[in-house]
Amino acid sequence: PFHIDKYEVTNAEYYAYWKSLPLKKRHDGAFRQGHYPIGWADDENNPFPGELAQVPVLGVRLPGAEGYAQWAGKR
């Protein structure tokens, strides 16, 4: 069983989580593979077009979803 939040997580919200992580973690290949959304560009400073900021983030693997949930105070 699992819980689903009432609201979807946007690209901008997930990006705020990503930017809060230490640079060393963000550049670790194994960590990045589990946390960086599949559909984002490799450019961390501009991973998605601005018009997609409020669109739900896609391609987040389970470790990334768990990390985001903990960071956001969710379960």
Side-chain angles (χ1 to χ4, degrees):
F2 57 92
H3 297 278
I4 296 177
D5 202 339
K6 184 176 181 178
Y7 302 103
E8 297 169 317
V9 177
T10 66
N11 282 301
E13 291 168 331
Y14 194 85
Y15 186 60
Y17 157 67
W18 178 254
K19 294 300 276 185
S20 77
L21 297 169
L23 193 59
K24 186 175 181 177
K25 270 191 169 181
R26 294 191 327 235
H27 289 167
D28 177 88
F31 183 85
R32 186 181 178 92
Q33 185 176 3
H35 290 76
Y36 198 76
I38 294 168
W40 283 9
D42 287 334
D43 180 4
E44 280 189 35
N45 295 318
N46 194 21
F48 50 84
E51 60 269 14
L52 298 180
Q54 297 308 312
V55 173
V57 65
L58 301 174
V60 177
R61 294 175 182 93
L62 183 58
E66 290 172 335
Y68 174 83
Q70 183 177 4
W71 174 81
K74 308 273 183 174
R75 301 189 274 166

